[in-house]
Amino acid sequence: MTHTERPMPPLDADERTGLESWLDFYRATVAQKCEDLTDEQARSASVPPSSLTPMGLVQHLAEVERNWFRRVLTGEDVPSLYDPPAGPGVHSGGFGLSADASFADALAVWREEVAVSRAVCAERSLEDSAPFMGGEVRLRWIYHHMIGEYARHSGHADLLRERIDGSTGI
């Protein structure tokens, strides 16, 4: 298994650098867990009875990036990447797999959404906010939420990968 670079977040960083570094750390963790998987392995729901797959997880994370950094933070009206919305303003999360989708394409879409997210955040302060659920949500809160989202899904990816081919650690 090849390894994507996963730099340790700095121990003495300012708040913004710390938040960005931890988010990037967990993004890299997910990327590492997905390295060298075939399409068949990436479609494998390897922890029955769950239907969660590495490919569905990557698609979901692309949707999460798009939702928080584009739909919520910038107010951009962008469509769901994978699943049709479950209703007006409700997105099903990207976990479903299309028969003709490839894992390489899913990874490319996720990486593009990450790049857009970084660009969107680069021009904002942690205090910048956007309307959300009848109030305001700050970029700082979104970073914290995304770190939690990725940390949780890094654990899922770890279990999925171990079940697929025995790879552990990283």
Side-chain angles (χ1 to χ4, degrees), residues 45-88:
S46 58
V47 186
S50 173
S51 62
L52 183 63
T53 65
M55 187 168 168
L57 191 60
V58 168
Q59 290 179 171
H60 169 69
L61 290 170
E63 290 284 9
V64 169
E65 293 274 352
R66 177 173 274 223
N67 184 62
W68 283 102
F69 293 115
R70 295 176 73 180
R71 288 188 190 110
V72 174
L73 186 61
T74 70
E76 189 177 349
D77 184 19
V78 290
S80 180
L81 291 163
Y82 297 102
D83 300 329

Side-chain angles (χ1 to χ4, degrees), residues 1 8 22-23 27 30 36 48 52 56 65 69 93 104 106 142 144-145 151:
M1 183 160 112
M8 177 69 177
W22 276 107
L23 182 53
R27 286 170 172 155
V30 169
D36 304 323
L52 183 63
E65 293 274 352
F69 293 115
I142 293 171
H144 282 285
H145 175 75

Side-chain angles (χ1 to χ4, degrees), residues 2-166:
T2 58
H3 289 294
T4 300
E5 179 65 27
R6 188 177 73 158
M8 177 69 177
L11 300 176
D12 60 351
D14 61 86
E15 181 183 19
R16 183 177 189 119
T17 301
L19 291 170
E20 290 173 348
S21 297
W22 276 107
L23 182 53
D24 282 341
F25 176 84
Y26 286 118
R27 286 170 172 155
T29 301
V30 169
Q32 283 182 341
K33 288 299 172 180
C34 292
E35 285 178 344
D36 304 323
L37 290 176
T38 65
D39 273 359
E40 182 181 348
Q41 289 171 320
R43 291 173 168 281
S44 173
S46 58
V47 186
S50 173
S51 62
L52 183 63
T53 65
M55 187 168 168
L57 191 60
V58 168
Q59 290 179 171
H60 169 69
L61 290 170
E63 290 284 9
V64 169
E65 293 274 352
R66 177 173 274 223
N67 184 62
W68 283 102
F69 293 115
R70 295 176 73 180
R71 288 188 190 110
V72 174
L73 186 61
T74 70
E76 189 177 349
D77 184 19
V78 290
S80 180
L81 291 163
Y82 297 102
D83 300 329
V90 178
H91 299 275
S92 57
F95 288 108
L97 303 182
S98 168
D100 61 343
S102 75
F103 191 44
D105 289 344
L107 287 166
V109 168
W110 170 65
R111 287 183 180 112
E112 177 59 29
E113 287 299 322
V114 168
V116 171
S117 296
R118 287 183 179 129
V120 162
C121 293
E123 56 193 43
R124 288 175 168 72
S125 82
L126 293 177
E127 293 300 313
D128 283 3
S129 63
F132 184 69
M133 297 181 70
E136 293 285 315
V137 62
R138 295 189 191 282
L139 176 56
R140 174 183 286 106
W141 187 95
I142 293 171
Y143 272 131
H144 282 285
H145 175 75
M146 291 296 288
I147 290 165
E149 181 87 13
Y150 270 91
R152 180 172 51 256
H153 290 315
S154 290
H156 295 141
D158 194 42
L159 291 171
L160 289 166
R161 184 61 189 253
E162 183 177 7
R163 183 79 174 181
I164 288 168
D165 66 6

